[in-house]
Amino acid sequence: MNPVLSVSGYTLDYVTSGGTHRALDDVSLAIAPGEVLGLVGESGSGKSSLVWSIMRHLPRNARELQGAIHLGDTDLRRATPKALLGIRGRRIGMVFQDPSTSLNPTLTLGRQLTEVLVRHRGFSKAAAWQEGIELLRRVELHQPEVLMRRYPHEVSGGEKQRVVIATAFGCRPELILFDEPTTALDVITGARILDLFRRLRAETGVAALYISHDLGLVSRIADRVAVMRRGKLVEEAAASTIFRAPAHEDTRRLVDAVPRPERRLVFDEPSGPVLLGARDIAVQYGRKTLFRPAPPPATRNVSLDVREGEILGVVGESGSGKSSIARALTGLAEFRGGIRLGKRPIAGVAQMDAAYRRAVQIVFQHPDTSLNPRQRVGEILGRPLRMFGGDAREIPRLLEQVRLPASYAGRWPHQLSGGEKQRVAIARAFAAKPALVICDEITAALDVSVQASIIDLLLALRAEHGTAYLFITHDLNLIRQIAHRIAVMRRGELVDLLAVDALQGESVHPYTRELIAASPTPVG
Amino acid sequence: MSASWLLRRVLLIAYTILVVSLLVFGITQVLPADAAVTLLGENATPAALEAVRLKLGLGDPVWLQYLRWLSHVLTGDFGVSMRTGQPVGPEMFAALSRSLLLAVGAILVMLVLAVPLGMLAALRQGRLVDMFTSLVSYLGVSLPEFVTATLMLMLFADRLQWLPATGYVAPLEDFWDSVRHLVLPVLTASVILIAHVARMVRSETLDVLHSDYIRAARLKGLPEPVVLLRHALRNALLPVVTIVALDVGYLLGGIIVIEEIFALPGIGRQLVVAITARDLPSIQAGALIMAATYAVANSLADMAYAFLDRRIRYD
């Protein structure tokens, strides 16, 4: 049977001021009708370049050196711009990573869904609207008639992604490209999107290229998996075997990086005194005004303790109040309730003095925005060092602790990779020699393999300094590897706070059970 | 945009105008002008001056004078001009209508020229159109109005003799003659608007064209004109609304130079005349009307913004 998509010997360069950079190197792959090929690799490995090559949407500095890309019998490299209009959206559908940016904020969902039906399937506007409602029903959206008239900001992320998926399936394409479609969604929503993908795929028999940096996820939904590294395909195997028997060393690294709850990384059991106790923490943003009632509180009466040297995981979907707790404990948000640091009671933000702020440090999710782009790494680390009684000579030691070369002190943040930036942010927190570090989704923006190395680093720092962590994440598998206890939050409330072993037990909250179900462990 | 939002907006406008009225009244109190002297002239006898002061209530406490003035204003009575003896209100509103004609004309010319120019510049980034737009923008921002106005006069009124140099004709009197008189002031005023807006549209269009949803629209197989007009234009126009609202202030007060050069009796010009003549009721009325127009224009801009961008919710 002829493949739906075949790429053979394809090589692509980008010409930049710094020279030529090879993005894809002699890449060959084929997708049979009805087959799902998973494409896995770290960021920068060339996954996206391959997508843009297939979609013929390459930037101007791209140079195609050799190779061919065929969609059925059509040679895509020779397709004219006019022919491409009949291929994009019609014969190749696409689902993008982040539905909140890939939908136009000023057009209704219905308009954005039906414009492809009008364009490619020759529907009248009214007929397209009816078909649109039908499509939304097929992606399991309730009240599709109402949703059609909504604007993107009026619906949730999961609903948006379903609309994008409905659009991609709408013209019955031969092939659909999925570019990390669940990365921007929280765990439960992402799991439901994957269920939908499986069902639609079974119904339509469409072929798909599914791109992700998460080998665990891809191995669950693809028929075959191709692993990409530095522009080359290093391994291609059936999804069922790649996890059990990775042939290539790079694949093995990716396999090892996937968090698996049964593989614990922390073995001690802290029994020291309570380091930080929080009682009935309530955070409220925005006040009641003359015309507007107060918004609902971000957290209500959350109580938790962190022991010395303990790792407390906090999980929950976006908007559950995880970050608000972090902001309250670090004094970034006003709160009601009481905090105790050791034996010292802290009644509010005003009582958080230098000693408290030194003891409780935070690392934020996005190092891009938490590191000042106009300061060199040395300045970024020097400030907290001086403030907490150290001096600048400790900078090389600090960098070494987070396994960065001392020469990085002279670099600007933009010269570092995402993982390196996060190491600098961790070093900044440790400059204060803290007793507790709050990690607010610090690996969410990173590749799985980089995440694994950051986790290694945190555990090494803990072994050396006895630091406690409050580790906020939406990745249950990850936190089950390292946390001693896990707090589950939902809609501003703490629904569960239990030892990691008790998570599988009978007495857990139904929501916790749902979270566990939505975070399946890798096959094999 | 709910009814309660509209109501709140109207209340806010009323509040703004109230504050402005306090400021205006306060400033006219501090001005070194004695209404009685202005009315009767320097040579009036002290007894006559005293009589006028009593009649106008100038001896009353300031707050009483303010309340009396405000209550009259609320019934539409802005008082009588000390210079002409005519009621101030109708005179100022007529001047405002002439200024608005100029302002609306300038905004229309700007929209027709600046928006396509800015979009073209963004689409042909670094090419001839782009450089031309940059040039026009820099010239427009850096040339003072009296230079642009003089150049226009020299070219169109003097050399080519196409258009009258100065003066104003009401549209209802003779429509075509009115338009002919308005062309040069409108063009002059629009130059600076075009400069502001073309640059804004260019940079905004560039941002929008690099956004994910434009890429998504292209990858859905939509032809380029549809991508640009349906998906890009509206988003690129959003900040223009804000700029235009801010420029309304300039168009009402700042184009006094243009009104002066083209002898167009707009509200800015009337206000300057009133200030030179120490004509207190005219100053108060002019300033208050200007502030009210500005407040209303800004509210209209907010509404337009909310209409264009549904993420903005006024509830």
Side-chain angles (χ1 to χ4, degrees):
Chain A
M1 202 153 42
N2 281 335
V4 173
L5 178 82
S6 75
V7 177
S8 52
Y10 186 75
T11 302
L12 178 80
D13 278 356
Y14 290 125
V15 182
T16 62
S17 53
T20 310
H21 161 71
R22 178 137 304 178
L24 294 172
D25 192 355
D26 195 20
V27 170
S28 300
L29 54 81
I31 303 176
E35 186 185 38
V36 176
L37 176 67
L39 185 61
V40 187
E42 297 171 13
S43 31
S45 61
K47 304 181 307 259
S48 300
S49 292
L50 185 61
V51 171
W52 305 135
S53 302
I54 295 168
M55 291 307 270
R56 312 308 300 153
H57 191 70
L58 289 164
R60 275 203 199 116
N61 64 343
R63 301 280 176 277
E64 300 179 275
L65 299 187
Q66 56 181 24
I69 304 176
H70 281 88
L71 177 72
D73 296 331
T74 313
D75 184 347
L76 287 180
R77 281 191 63 189
R78 284 161 196 268
T80 59
K82 190 155 173 267
L84 281 176
L85 289 183
I87 293 172
R88 293 177 183 155
R90 172 77 193 85
R91 296 180 61 195
I92 311 179
M94 183 150 180
V95 177
F96 303 88
Q97 178 168 3
D98 188 349
S100 61
T101 58
S102 64
L103 287 169
N104 190 331
T106 57
L107 295 176
T108 59
L109 296 171
R111 187 92 191 273
Q112 300 188 56
L113 169 56
T114 55
E115 65 184 354
V116 289
L117 303 176
V118 172
R119 171 90 205 150
H120 295 308
R121 286 176 69 185
F123 277 121
S124 69
K125 276 196 172 169
W129 200 264
Q130 281 314 309
E131 175 72 10
I133 292 173
E134 211 39 58
L135 283 169
L136 290 192
R137 194 164 283 135
R138 278 187 55 203
V139 293
E140 296 158 14
L141 283 167
H142 301 295
Q143 294 191 298
E145 297 88 352
V146 182
L147 226 60
M148 291 283 278
R149 296 187 194 286
R150 291 263 164 87
Y151 287 87
H153 70 270
E154 295 172 318
V155 306
S156 71
E159 288 171 316
K160 272 184 265 199
Q161 196 62 303
R162 280 168 198 265
V163 173
V164 174
I165 290 173
T167 313
F169 276 89
C171 293
R172 300 176 188 145
E174 297 146 50
L175 172 73
I176 299 184
L177 307 181
F178 288 84
D179 184 8
E180 308 236 7
T182 62
T183 312
L185 306 171
D186 66 66
V187 185
I188 293 182
T189 315
R192 289 188 189 136
I193 292 283
L194 286 182
D195 287 342
L196 173 71
F197 168 75
R198 283 196 201 94
R199 208 206 74 214
L200 287 176
R201 191 209 148 184
E203 279 174 22
T204 59
V206 71
L209 180 65
Y210 194 104
I211 290 169
S212 175
H213 65 94
D214 186 346
L215 186 56
L217 186 152
V218 168
S219 68
R220 288 196 303 275
I221 53 155
D223 300 312
R224 278 184 307 132
V225 176
V227 179
M228 196 165 224
R229 177 163 166 87
R230 296 202 180 140
K232 283 191 171 132
L233 282 187
V234 295
E235 183 169 358
E236 204 181 321
S240 50
T241 61
I242 197 154
F243 229 92
R244 232 172 298 137
H248 195 278
E249 159 200 7
D250 289 316
T251 317
R252 200 166 309 126
R253 252 168 23 87
L254 285 171
V255 167
D256 288 341
V258 172
R260 316 169 97 163
E262 73 276 9
R263 206 172 59 213
R264 286 282 295 174
L265 300 173
V266 173
F267 305 101
D268 58 350
E269 198 55 57
S271 53
V274 170
L275 172 68
L276 184 96
R279 286 287 155 272
D280 297 333
I281 299 292
V283 177
Q284 170 98 46
Y285 300 112
R287 246 176 281 167
K288 175 177 170 301
T289 67
L290 193 56
F291 296 105
R292 202 172 288 127
T299 73
R300 287 177 257 260
N301 305 335
V302 173
S303 300
L304 44 84
D305 293 329
V306 187
R307 291 178 180 282
E308 280 177 8
E310 187 185 29
I311 302 181
L312 177 66
V314 180
V315 294
E317 58 191 22
S318 34
S320 61
K322 307 188 297 286
S323 289
S324 293
I325 289 294
R327 291 169 60 86
L329 295 182
T330 47
L332 292 172
E334 293 282 347
F335 62 91
R336 272 176 296 134
I339 295 177
R340 285 182 95 82
L341 180 67
K343 296 198 162 55
R344 244 186 86 198
I346 308 267
V349 176
Q351 291 183 21
M352 291 184 177
D353 53 7
Y356 181 88
R357 289 180 191 275
R358 172 181 189 152
V360 181
Q361 287 282 313
I362 185 166
V363 181
F364 295 98
Q365 177 173 3
H366 295 290
D368 285 329
T369 50
S370 69
L371 300 182
N372 188 335
R374 303 253 179 275
Q375 286 185 348
R376 294 175 194 266
V377 170
E379 297 169 69
I380 291 173
L381 299 179
R383 172 76 58 95
L385 272 178
R386 274 197 307 280
M387 200 170 147
F388 295 114
D391 78 62
R393 275 169 299 183
E394 291 177 56
I395 291 176
R397 183 190 55 79
L398 215 50
L399 282 170
E400 190 202 332
Q401 266 193 359
V402 296
R403 296 173 201 160
L404 290 175
S407 62
Y408 270 39
R411 293 213 183 181
W412 300 101
H414 71 260
Q415 294 172 309
L416 310 180
S417 72
E420 288 171 338
K421 275 184 254 191
Q422 203 57 293
R423 283 167 192 269
V424 171
I426 291 170
R428 177 171 61 183
F430 274 87
K433 304 194 176 68
L436 171 69
V437 174
I438 297 176
C439 303
D440 189 0
E441 301 258 21
I442 63 169
T443 61
L446 303 175
D447 280 348
V448 175
S449 54
V450 183
Q451 164 176 292
S453 69
I454 292 282
I455 295 295
D456 275 352
L457 171 66
L458 286 177
L459 296 181
L461 287 169
R462 174 175 173 268
E464 191 180 334
H465 301 283
T467 322
Y469 294 118
L470 184 78
F471 199 94
I472 298 173
T473 179
H474 60 261
D475 188 339
L476 199 58
N477 287 338
L478 173 68
I479 199 63
R480 284 170 72 185
Q481 285 189 292
I482 59 170
H484 299 106
R485 287 184 303 149
I486 292 178
V488 182
M489 289 194 66
R490 183 194 196 189
R491 293 183 197 149
E493 283 173 27
L494 195 68
V495 297
D496 256 337
L497 176 57
L498 30 85
V500 69
D501 303 329
L503 213 57
Q504 302 281 42
E506 289 301 307
S507 58
V508 303
H509 191 277
Y511 177 72
T512 309
R513 205 164 291 149
E514 200 181 347
L515 262 184
I516 296 173
S519 321
T521 48
V523 293
Chain B
M1 229 178 305
S2 56
S4 91
W5 180 79
L6 279 177
L7 178 72
R8 242 161 44 212
R9 206 65 218 200
V10 170
L11 285 178
L12 195 65
I13 293 175
Y15 177 69
T16 312
I17 295 174
L18 190 73
V19 171
V20 171
S21 79
L22 263 170
L23 285 174
V24 167
F25 192 81
I27 288 167
T28 50
Q29 289 298 308
V30 190
L31 272 187
D34 185 334
V37 176
T38 313
L39 270 178
L40 299 181
E42 301 285 343
N43 302 325
T45 63
L49 285 175
E50 199 47 48
V52 170
R53 287 197 185 110
L54 204 63
K55 183 173 157 244
L56 294 178
L58 295 180
D60 294 341
V62 177
W63 61 268
L64 189 64
Q65 290 190 50
Y66 170 70
L67 285 182
R68 190 187 299 135
W69 173 69
L70 193 66
S71 64
H72 285 153
V73 166
L74 287 178
T75 61
D77 174 13
F78 284 90
V80 174
S81 165
M82 295 177 175
R83 191 167 53 89
T84 60
Q86 298 292 316
V88 170
E91 199 182 320
M92 278 296 168
F93 278 112
L96 176 70
S97 72
R98 294 189 281 266
S99 284
L100 283 181
L101 210 56
L102 177 57
V104 170
I107 288 175
L108 286 182
V109 170
M110 177 277 287
L111 285 178
V112 170
L113 292 181
V115 173
L117 203 60
M119 284 198 85
L120 264 180
L123 290 174
R124 301 261 176 280
Q125 198 188 352
R127 313 253 198 95
L128 207 61
V129 190
D130 191 17
M131 289 190 254
F132 174 73
T133 309
S134 295
L135 186 74
V136 169
S137 301
Y138 285 127
L139 277 180
V141 174
S142 50
L143 283 183
E145 295 96 327
F146 60 85
V147 176
T148 341
T150 315
L151 289 176
M152 296 249 183
L153 279 174
M154 279 166 60
L155 183 64
F156 295 108
D158 187 51
R159 181 69 52 96
L160 298 171
Q161 304 253 326
W162 285 356
L163 295 159
T166 58
Y168 171 81
V169 174
L172 293 176
E173 217 169 284
D174 181 342
F175 183 73
W176 277 116
D177 202 27
S178 166
V179 170
R180 278 164 49 79
H181 277 91
L182 272 173
V183 169
L184 289 183
V186 162
L187 280 184
T188 311
S190 64
V191 166
I192 217 163
L193 295 184
I194 291 174
H196 282 168
V197 172
R199 285 197 72 74
M200 185 57 115
V201 171
R202 176 185 179 273
S203 68
E204 205 60 32
T205 307
L206 277 181
D207 272 4
V208 169
L209 287 180
H210 285 121
S211 67
D212 278 4
Y213 57 84
I214 292 297
R215 189 174 66 192
R218 287 192 174 128
L219 296 185
K220 286 201 285 193
L222 300 176
E224 202 58 17
V226 176
V227 172
L228 292 180
L229 294 178
R230 189 183 299 163
H231 286 269
L233 180 64
R234 189 196 278 250
N235 291 290
L237 278 187
L238 283 174
V240 176
V241 178
T242 315
I243 288 277
V244 170
L246 289 174
D247 278 341
V248 167
Y250 158 76
L251 284 170
L252 284 176
I255 50 172
I256 168 73
V257 177
I258 297 175
E259 295 183 346
E260 201 61 52
I261 290 176
F262 293 100
L264 196 143
I267 192 161
R269 197 156 174 249
Q270 293 300 89
L271 201 57
V272 170
V273 170
I275 291 171
T276 358
R278 305 268 157 83
D279 184 355
L280 295 184
S282 295
I283 297 175
Q284 290 165 340
L288 201 56
I289 290 172
M290 256 189 193
T293 314
Y294 190 61
V296 170
N298 267 295
S299 290
L300 288 179
D302 278 355
M303 271 184 247
Y305 205 103
F307 178 76
L308 284 170
D309 187 350
R310 301 305 171 94
R311 278 169 301 180
I312 311 285
R313 260 193 317 201
Y314 301 113
D315 44 15

